Amino acid sequence: MIPATTFASLNWSLALPEIFLACAAMVLLVFGVTRKADPQREVSWLSVLVLAITAALVLAQGGDKAQAFAGLFVLDGFARFVKLMVLLAAGLGIVMSISYLEHEKLSRFEYPVLILLATLGMMMMVSANDLMSLYLGLELQSLSLYVIAAFARDSERSTEAGLKYFVLGALASGLLLYGASLVYGFAGTTNFAAIADVLTRADAAKPPLGVVFGLVFVAAGLSFKVSAVPFHMWTPDVYEGSPTPVTAFFSVGPKIAAVGLFLRVMAGPFAPMLGQWQQLMVLISIGSMALGAFAAIGQSNIKRLMAYSSIGHMGYALIGLAAGTAEGVHGVLVYMAIYLVMNVGTFACILCMRREGRMVEGIDDLAGLARTDPLMALALAIFMFSMAGIPPLAGFFGKLYVFLAAVKAGMWALAIIGVLASVVGAFYYLRIIKVMYFDADAGAFEPRPAALSAVIAGTGAVTTLFFVWPAPLVVAAQAAAATLFGG
Amino acid sequence: MITALAFYMFAGVLVASATMVIAARNPVHSVLFLILAFFNAAGLFILMGAEFLAMILVIVYVGAVAVLFLFVVMMLDINFAELRQGFQRYLPIGGLVGLVLLVELMLVLGAWVVAPEAAALRQAPTPDAAAMSNTEALGRLLYTRYAYLFQASGMVLLVAMIGAIVLTLRDRPGTRRQSVAVQVARRAEETLEMRKVALGQGIGEEKGVVTHGTPGLRPAEAAKTATEKAEVR
């Protein structure tokens, strides 16, 4: 028999940012529907405002780990940290898309609203403390993303990207659900803390086969969402086909949320099965790093290249998870924050690649950019150096923290493979710089929209100057990682 | 004894009609078998004492979903025979893969172990069955303990609705739409013309032409149709 649930005992105020975001998204939807002319621009800026208020609400929630809604929802430092990253990614994603949507005649107010709802799903994922809330958050996020992948519905490539993403995403959800049902069948509960409790009491050296199966299925479903090898097949096609600002958002927001969820699930309910999932993570991360490094070399389309690059980056981030320590989680969080900044900056540059009224996506189109637009070439060069992991840019520190965590956990081989993969990966990042600085001009791009210039300048400055004052991010990530492993 | 008989009857018909859903050649028959399957599943629920779920199954699935299916099947011109061609071509290899998977899963489930505390944990959220009806019990769980999940499902459905509209609704140019404001602001002088009609004479300019006007046409179009008629004469 459960204790009686009262309104106060739901602790709903812990979910205040989510509740606010949900209500605001619905208000903006009604606002958009009642307007005569298309209000995409107004709704977009209002959405950015809503995201800023939500971030302020998240920041205002202090305190230790606390649960709400009878254990379905958990709020701790880790959740707050990841939520802030997701909100930042969504805000930048909306800002970058405004002028693109107008140019490409895709200007519809549902776009920012769907991004808000996807963000809501991501925040629910990060705060999930139960297999059911995990699944609902994940579905809310994925469903919104399927729609915006196909947002350019008159473009065959965009529709194909949406359909592909939908079919494969549904398959991944099925795997995840099947795994969840196996875990529930063994433990008799869906609550993370209770599952961990049951698993601790089971024989740790030789856990029952059914639970291991469940764990593998859950990990497969989550790997799909972070696009780690061998569940990465959809990534290049979806990234190439979707409208570019959608790709920019895909490469940061959902990935950060899914990595956050991955960390929470592995360090939470499955913590007693560390020995089982550690091998899995090592395999996935080596595969992703290798594929990201080698498959990107032959690409000529910059969006496809970024897709493989993001697969590789997920490999590096998962090294931290494979280490299985609070230090590893710290490394992952720092890595994801830096990845967010560099990736948004790179995509802002890609969104500026417009010639004769249409977008160009070839790497050759960047030729001679150093002479036609030296500032943008400099920014893109900074992002590429940073992604390759060249000190003293931010990307170097991201890699440093995960590799250090792996070494401290005694995983020398993993760290060495990571370093080798990043050396190979540096080749194609440096090739872009070579094309920009040393190849014959391919002609100037159209003038940059002001919002994109601001995003490029901001992210470029953060990437370059991170080493001057890294303390705020590193300390905050450390505190966040500690709450995940602290209990 | 009677419960067992009823169980086997419901279960037997359920399995048979479920098979017919995928085996029937005519898609309309498939939907009708689906309805039969739903009814028998509802019967099984009643045997278990879950009368609320049984009623929901009949009302929602038979009343709404199956009828919607029926509409879709009847209104859309889908060539099901063509769709099934691929099915038959891939059946051997697909069946083989499915069989291997089934055997493997059976090997796992054969050694299925349940944690000793699982049974107690599974019972934990459910209120005492003797104390309240199962409608009340479901409501208590759904609207209090699981309120968060309930609301989250609502958001998922909202996204599905927005998605369907975003991806399919098109504003076709040239369609006429109802504008309530214009209709209300219309005055009698704009629509009606009062004339004195002399006895035994029409109102048409030409004698013998009656401009009744076709319903639904605007005055200009009605006049045009009238002149066309006149020309035919």
Side-chain angles (χ1 to χ4, degrees):
Chain A
M1 197 60 197
I2 41 161
T5 317
T6 60
F7 189 62
S9 78
L10 287 178
N11 256 341
W12 59 273
S13 61
L14 290 181
L16 193 62
E18 282 81 0
I19 296 173
F20 171 75
L21 187 58
C23 296
M26 290 188 276
V27 169
L28 283 179
L29 191 65
V30 173
F31 169 78
V33 170
T34 48
R35 278 310 185 84
K36 275 259 158 52
D38 180 77
Q40 189 259 124
R41 190 168 270 272
E42 290 96 312
V43 175
S44 290
W45 286 114
L46 285 173
S47 303
V48 174
L49 180 70
V50 165
L51 289 169
I53 297 175
T54 315
L57 288 174
V58 172
L59 275 175
Q61 294 176 312
D64 295 330
K65 185 169 180 163
Q67 296 192 354
F69 299 109
L72 291 169
F73 183 94
V74 64
L75 184 74
D76 51 12
F78 174 79
R80 276 195 292 272
F81 187 86
V82 182
K83 278 181 197 175
L84 286 176
M85 283 203 281
V86 165
L87 287 168
L88 179 66
L92 290 174
I94 294 178
V95 168
M96 288 200 293
S97 56
I98 297 174
S99 61
Y100 176 91
L101 293 176
E102 281 171 0
H103 260 289
E104 303 290 312
K105 306 216 175 0
L106 292 174
S107 192
R108 307 181 69 195
F109 72 92
E110 286 96 343
Y111 180 84
V113 173
L114 282 169
I115 290 207
L116 286 188
L117 289 168
T119 313
L120 174 67
M122 292 175 207
M123 291 172 73
M124 289 168 59
M125 281 158 68
V126 175
S127 268
N129 195 36
D130 190 290
L131 290 173
M132 291 189 278
S133 40
L134 175 161
Y135 180 71
L136 278 174
L138 195 69
E139 278 307 287
L140 181 57
Q141 180 233 218
S142 313
L143 210 59
S144 317
L145 296 183
Y146 303 146
V147 178
I148 52 175
F151 202 76
R153 58 186 188 183
D154 294 321
S155 142
E156 202 172 295
R157 286 201 310 165
S158 174
T159 342
E160 183 195 325
L163 191 64
K164 228 173 223 174
Y165 193 25
F166 172 68
V167 171
L168 292 174
L171 188 71
S173 289
L175 290 180
L176 184 85
L177 270 184
Y178 186 57
S181 75
L182 286 176
V183 172
Y184 174 74
F186 172 77
T189 171
T190 50
N191 185 278
F192 283 179
I195 293 176
D197 203 34
V198 171
L199 288 178
T200 315
R201 264 178 273 160
D203 185 6
K206 205 172 157 296
L209 200 55
V211 185
V212 179
F213 254 70
L215 169 70
V216 172
F217 274 113
V218 170
L222 290 176
S223 306
F224 175 89
K225 299 291 172 188
V226 299
S227 73
V229 171
F231 306 98
H232 64 281
M233 306 291 184
W234 56 277
T235 324
D237 292 345
V238 171
Y239 276 33
E240 191 191 352
S242 304
T244 313
V246 175
T247 314
F249 179 59
F250 274 11
S251 70
V252 284
K255 293 235 163 153
I256 292 171
V259 166
L261 184 63
F262 221 141
L263 293 176
R264 183 174 291 292
V265 172
M266 292 304 154
F270 294 121
M273 294 173 74
L274 178 80
Q276 266 72 36
W277 58 256
Q278 202 165 26
Q279 315 160 4
L280 214 63
M281 288 309 123
V282 169
L283 205 71
I284 289 178
S285 111
I286 291 179
S288 307
M289 288 188 296
L291 186 104
F294 287 102
I297 291 176
Q299 301 303 321
S300 59
N301 179 307
I302 193 151
K303 279 161 84 180
R304 269 188 107 78
L305 181 107
M306 290 304 289
Y308 284 108
S309 147
S310 87
I311 295 173
H313 281 298
M314 287 305 116
Y316 298 119
L318 290 179
I319 288 183
L321 178 55
T325 55
E327 215 159 25
V329 173
H330 171 219
V332 178
L333 290 179
V334 172
Y335 195 94
M336 291 315 290
I338 291 171
Y339 168 79
L340 161 68
V341 174
M342 341 185 257
N343 226 43
V344 165
T346 312
F347 270 101
C349 290
I350 296 176
L351 277 165
C352 290
M353 294 168 61
R354 177 183 291 284
R355 200 174 273 150
E356 288 156 15
R358 42 187 289 271
M359 300 293 297
V360 287
E361 292 171 0
I363 291 174
D364 317 337
D365 292 308
L366 284 167
L369 188 67
R371 288 173 293 282
T372 53
D373 190 349
L375 282 178
M376 184 174 139
L378 177 67
L380 195 51
I382 288 173
F383 296 132
M384 289 299 132
F385 275 129
S386 174
M387 291 218 182
I390 290 173
L393 297 169
F396 167 72
F397 292 95
K399 289 203 168 81
L400 182 69
Y401 280 106
V402 288
F403 290 155
L404 274 183
V407 168
K408 282 206 182 140
M411 304 179 124
W412 282 95
L414 189 60
I416 291 173
I417 294 175
V419 173
L420 289 179
S422 65
V423 170
V424 177
F427 167 76
Y428 58 85
Y429 294 127
L430 296 180
R431 182 165 65 111
I432 294 183
I433 298 174
K434 175 231 157 203
V435 168
M436 287 193 301
Y437 279 86
F438 302 113
D439 283 8
D441 291 13
F445 292 129
E446 285 176 17
R448 282 173 268 145
L452 288 180
S453 299
V455 171
I456 295 175
T459 50
V462 172
T463 313
T464 325
L465 299 177
F466 175 75
F467 75 97
V468 179
W469 196 39
L473 176 67
V474 174
V475 172
Q478 197 149 28
T483 63
L484 190 64
F485 268 92
Chain B
M1 176 63 197
I2 293 189
T3 327
L5 260 179
F7 171 79
Y8 284 112
M9 186 193 77
F10 284 134
V13 178
L14 175 62
V15 172
S17 55
T19 317
M20 286 309 290
V21 172
I22 52 170
R25 286 206 164 271
N26 185 336
V28 177
H29 293 177
S30 289
V31 179
L32 293 176
F33 277 115
L34 190 66
I35 293 175
L36 184 61
F38 283 145
F39 265 108
N40 284 284
L44 287 179
F45 272 131
I46 287 189
L47 286 183
M48 284 192 290
E51 73 274 358
F52 181 73
L53 279 183
M55 290 308 128
I56 282 292
L57 193 69
V58 171
I59 295 170
V60 175
Y61 280 89
V62 178
V65 177
V67 172
L68 191 74
F69 275 174
L70 210 54
F71 269 110
V72 170
V73 166
M74 286 177 160
M75 291 183 129
L76 294 184
D77 185 23
I78 301 172
N79 190 347
F80 283 90
E82 203 171 285
L83 282 180
R84 205 167 290 168
Q85 271 176 357
F87 174 73
Q88 270 165 9
R89 190 145 58 93
Y90 298 121
L91 185 63
I93 187 87
L96 188 71
V97 169
L99 194 71
V100 170
L101 213 58
L102 186 72
V103 170
E104 283 176 352
L105 286 176
M106 262 154 61
L107 288 179
V108 174
L109 298 181
W112 187 254
V113 192
V114 176
E117 53 273 66
L121 280 171
R122 205 167 287 152
Q123 287 295 327
T126 351
D128 189 8
M132 58 183 80
S133 73
N134 64 51
T135 312
E136 191 184 348
L138 274 176
R140 280 191 180 217
L141 278 182
L142 207 55
Y143 299 120
T144 58
R145 190 182 163 88
Y146 294 134
Y148 175 70
L149 299 177
F150 187 66
Q151 294 294 334
S153 321
M155 295 309 289
V156 172
L157 291 178
L158 175 70
V159 169
M161 191 186 85
I162 300 175
I165 293 174
V166 165
L167 295 180
T168 57
L169 183 71
R170 280 171 201 275
D171 276 336
R172 259 185 250 140
T175 47
R176 285 207 211 140
R177 287 167 176 278
Q178 182 182 25
S179 168
V180 178
V182 172
Q183 286 177 339
V184 171
R186 214 164 148 180
R187 284 174 306 168
E189 301 90 79
E190 293 165 14
T191 337
L192 290 177
E193 195 182 342
M194 306 299 279
R195 283 205 198 166
K196 279 244 183 285
V197 183
L199 213 63
Q201 314 227 321
I203 49 166
E205 272 86 353
E206 305 162 41
K207 277 197 175 162
V209 178
V210 186
T211 51
H212 285 309
T214 324
L217 287 185
R218 279 182 299 194
E221 287 173 37
K224 202 176 145 216
T225 346
T227 33
E228 277 165 7
K229 273 184 194 162
E231 276 164 12
V232 171
R233 288 191 181 193

